[in-house]
């Protein structure tokens, strides 16, 4: 692939621990390297044909979106796997009582045979924890990874109050909803504090997060997400959700995070500088994850196990309620896959694997030669030149110089 070097309008921080990435990629068919003028990038170490698997990677951190968490949509805390039954998915999505109560053929048989562990609760469910899992193994892994620092069932009153305020806060600033960004940041701190409980140092627990390309949250502006009638005039109330400053929101987050993790103001790990860098890293590296719901597999099962009329009825319901196609929404941040650079002519794309969890499955969509850079599209590459450049500059802080943008910029210049 031709050079698609981004031209940064703000200088993000790029760290590259060669030993760290060498260990991550030792069994992969790609490598992470520093690229002149681009920072980190990912090169292929073999030839890939179209549709070949390039890499599969589990998330460094993933979390359910706060809106879905507040709504009580069940998902595995470790993998984001949806844990709703088809009936629960229909109850959530349907807009009428009649549809919510629609007959679902052999529903209980399906749940009993294919989903024997619909929801494994946290061991502290009896004392208030709402987290659930796809298996006992997932529950144990998540506890050690981070949940022991975010388990509502173990909180004292002060922690519970801080956690409640954090998860109920809108995290809107300047008209933009940052709730999922702040939620992922909270889970990042939980992973780090959990690591320190095992005797690791601040430097050791922070290493994977420090490697992510980052920029302070204060640098980001998302005008393309705002309504045209937002005139940007400040309101008198400094706590107005749409108009409050980033400094105000950061200070509130720090107060609540200190309450949740029982951290002192001079705590070496939980600092405002680290928080704002993590927020920037999430905005630059986060991947949306929306696993398909049990409704999809249930519909396919009905086709083979029930009468034709039952299947037609299920298809009709699915057509009317698009939300049935997915379960919870979430985000993930990855170690190697976070190093993919952007191109408006990408040669790879991400999808879901058979596990239908947070695993990032990356396949080639063009032929890739050994030594080529593998690039993904961060945005809708079919948008016009001006729209693409605006979104990339505001969200990812660079001007795109990929072959497509270079051609289109030259064509526009000729027309002037």
């Amino acid at each position: 692939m031709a050079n698609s070097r981004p031209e940064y309008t703000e200088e993000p921080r790029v760290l590259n621990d060669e030993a760290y990435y060498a260990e991550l990629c030792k069994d992969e068919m790609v490598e992470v390297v520093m690229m002149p003028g681009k920072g980190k990038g990912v090169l292929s170490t073999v030839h890939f044909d179209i549709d070949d698997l390039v890499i599969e990677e589990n998330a460094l951190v993933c979390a359910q979106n706060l809106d879905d968490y507040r709504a009580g949509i069940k998902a595995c805390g470790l993998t984001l796997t949806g844990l709703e039954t088809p009936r629960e998915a229909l109850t959530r999505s349907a807009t009428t009582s009649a549809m919510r109560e629609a007959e679902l053929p052999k529903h209980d048989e399906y749940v009993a045979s294919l989903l024997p562990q619909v929801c494994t609760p946290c061991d502290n469910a009896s004392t208030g924890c709402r987290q659930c899992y796809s298996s006992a193994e997932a529950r144990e892994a998540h506890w050690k990874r981070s949940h022991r620092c975010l388990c509502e069932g173990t909180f004292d009153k002060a922690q519970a109050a801080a956690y409640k305020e954090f998860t109920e806060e809108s995290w809107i600033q300047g008209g933009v909803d940052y709730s999922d960004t702040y939620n992922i940041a909270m889970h990042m701190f939980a992973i780090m504090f959990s690591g320190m409980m095992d005797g690791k140092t601040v430097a050791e627990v922070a290493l994977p997060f420090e490697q992510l390309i980052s920029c302070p949250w204060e640098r980001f502006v998302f005008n393309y997400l705002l309504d045209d009638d937002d005139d940007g005039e400040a309101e008198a109330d400094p706590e107005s959700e749409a108009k409050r400053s980033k400094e105000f929101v950061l200070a509130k987050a720090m107060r609540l995070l200190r309450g949740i993790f029982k951290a002192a103001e001079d705590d070496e790990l939980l600092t405002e500088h680290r928080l704002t860098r993590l927020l920037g890293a999430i905005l630059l590296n986060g991947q949306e994850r929306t696993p398909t719901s049990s409704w999809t597999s249930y519909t396919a099962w009905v086709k083979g196990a029930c009468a034709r009329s039952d299947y037609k009825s299920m298809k009709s319901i699915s057509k009317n309620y698009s939300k049935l196609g997915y379960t919870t929404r979430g985000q993930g941040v990855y170690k190697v896959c976070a190093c993919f650079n952007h191109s408006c002519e990408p040669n790879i794309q991400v999808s879901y694997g058979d596990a239908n969890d947070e695993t990032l499955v990356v396949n080639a969509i063009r032929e890739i030669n050994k030594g080529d850079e593998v690039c993904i599209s961060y945005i809708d590459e079919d948008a016009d030149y001006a729209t693409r450049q605006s979104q990339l500059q505001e969200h990812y802080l660079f001007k795109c110089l990929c072959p497509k943008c270079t051609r289109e910029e030259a064509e526009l210049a000729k027309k002037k």
Side-chain angles (χ1 to χ4, degrees):
M1 170 171 283
N3 189 353
S4 56
R5 177 175 61 86
E7 180 180 291
Y8 282 98
T9 55
E10 298 284 357
E11 194 61 37
R13 185 182 67 186
V14 180
L15 300 180
N16 184 45
D17 187 314
E18 293 184 2
Y20 171 78
Y21 284 110
E23 178 65 23
L24 288 175
C25 295
K26 66 180 182 180
D27 297 320
E28 303 294 346
M29 295 178 286
V30 297
E31 61 180 344
V32 177
V33 300
M34 290 297 292
M35 307 184 72
K38 296 181 71 172
K40 282 181 287 197
V42 181
L43 301 183
S44 62
T45 58
V46 300
H47 176 90
F48 293 107
D49 289 320
I50 295 173
D51 294 330
D52 279 353
L53 175 68
V54 176
I55 187 174
E56 233 178 59
E57 186 179 13
N58 293 112
L60 166 63
V61 57
C62 66
Q64 184 179 30
N65 286 358
L66 269 182
D67 283 347
D68 289 354
Y69 174 79
R70 295 176 190 128
I73 298 176
K74 295 189 295 186
C76 179
L78 181 70
T79 67
L80 285 183
T81 303
L83 300 176
E84 290 182 310
T85 65
R87 170 63 69 187
E88 288 171 334
L90 182 60
T91 300
R92 166 176 59 85
S93 305
T95 56
T96 66
S97 58
M99 187 57 70
R100 285 191 288 270
E101 296 169 5
E103 181 180 353
L104 300 182
K106 297 186 179 181
H107 176 270
D108 292 346
E109 178 182 337
Y110 171 79
V111 172
S113 63
L114 299 181
L115 298 174
Q117 290 181 303
V118 175
C119 182
T120 300
C122 173
D123 285 332
N124 297 306
S126 62
T127 52
C129 186
R130 292 172 282 176
Q131 189 61 69
C132 51
Y133 299 94
S134 56
S135 67
E137 292 76 17
R139 177 178 62 194
E140 293 168 9
H142 194 227
W143 179 263
K144 183 171 179 60
R145 182 185 189 185
S146 63
H147 187 57
R148 53 182 162 173
C149 295
L150 280 179
C151 179
E152 292 178 273
T154 65
F155 284 165
D156 60 28
K157 289 185 178 180
Q159 286 176 294
Y163 183 80
K164 183 176 186 294
E165 187 174 352
F166 189 100
T167 55
E168 292 181 355
E169 163 66 43
S170 71
W171 300 114
I172 289 174
Q173 193 282 322
V176 178
D177 183 348
Y178 293 101
S179 61
D180 301 324
T181 308
Y182 271 87
N183 189 40
I184 286 281
M186 177 177 67
H187 283 80
M188 286 179 166
F189 277 114
I191 290 172
M192 289 186 279
F193 276 115
S194 183
M196 293 185 71
M197 291 173 68
D198 291 331
K200 294 181 180 179
T201 65
V202 170
E204 288 172 331
V205 299
L207 175 64
F209 304 100
E210 293 284 339
Q211 296 305 307
L212 299 169
I213 184 172
S214 68
C215 200
W217 178 52
E218 296 91 327
R219 298 282 187 91
F220 291 85
V221 179
F222 294 100
N223 290 324
Y224 73 94
L225 295 177
L226 302 178
D227 294 332
D228 292 337
D229 58 359
D230 189 337
D231 59 13
E233 294 180 2
E235 295 180 1
D237 182 3
E239 296 191 29
S240 168
E241 285 185 343
K243 307 301 178 182
R244 57 191 177 177
S245 68
K246 282 187 166 69
E247 292 77 13
F248 177 91
V249 176
L250 279 170
K252 182 170 188 176
M254 285 299 300
R255 173 177 63 82
L256 296 176
L257 289 170
R258 289 189 182 114
I260 292 168
F261 296 115
K262 304 184 77 169
E265 289 194 7
D266 61 352
D267 187 273
E268 184 182 355
L269 177 62
L270 182 51
T271 66
E272 186 170 302
H273 177 266
R274 195 183 305 279
L275 172 60
T276 188
R277 279 285 179 179
L278 287 177
L279 293 169
I282 295 162
L283 290 169
L284 289 170
N285 298 280
Q287 286 272 355
E288 292 185 3
R289 298 277 79 194
T290 309
T292 55
S293 75
S294 59
W295 182 269
T296 302
S297 56
Y298 171 59
T299 301
W301 181 83
V302 167
K303 183 177 182 180
C306 303
R308 182 180 177 85
S309 58
D310 290 328
Y311 177 67
K312 289 183 65 176
S313 175
M314 299 296 297
K315 292 290 288 184
S316 176
I317 294 174
S318 300
K319 183 178 180 180
N320 290 326
Y321 297 102
S322 59
K323 289 183 179 180
L324 285 169
Y326 64 85
T327 178
T328 192
R329 299 160 298 170
Q331 282 197 70
V333 177
Y334 299 78
K335 297 176 182 178
V336 175
C337 294
C339 300
F340 290 140
N341 282 315
H342 165 82
S343 173
C344 297
E345 291 181 335
N347 54 12
I348 55 173
Q349 67 178 8
V350 301
S351 61
Y352 292 97
D354 294 338
N356 196 34
D357 56 14
E358 99 300 352
T359 304
L360 206 64
V361 179
V362 182
N363 293 97
I365 55 174
R366 302 174 191 267
E367 186 176 353
I368 302 172
N369 293 316
K370 181 180 178 179
D372 283 352
E373 183 179 11
V374 289
C375 293
I376 196 170
S377 178
Y378 297 170
I379 58 170
D380 178 7
E381 65 268 25
D382 293 326
D384 62 69
Y385 173 80
T387 298
R388 298 198 313 272
Q389 290 292 342
S390 174
Q391 292 182 2
L392 288 168
Q393 289 184 11
E394 291 189 8
H395 193 149
Y396 297 101
L397 309 182
F398 68 83
K399 177 181 179 180
C400 183
L401 300 176
C402 75
K404 182 176 181 178
C405 285
T406 302
R407 289 195 307 270
E408 293 183 4
E409 185 176 33
E411 291 169 1
L412 289 170
K414 289 180 181 178
K415 294 177 181 180
K416 291 182 179 180

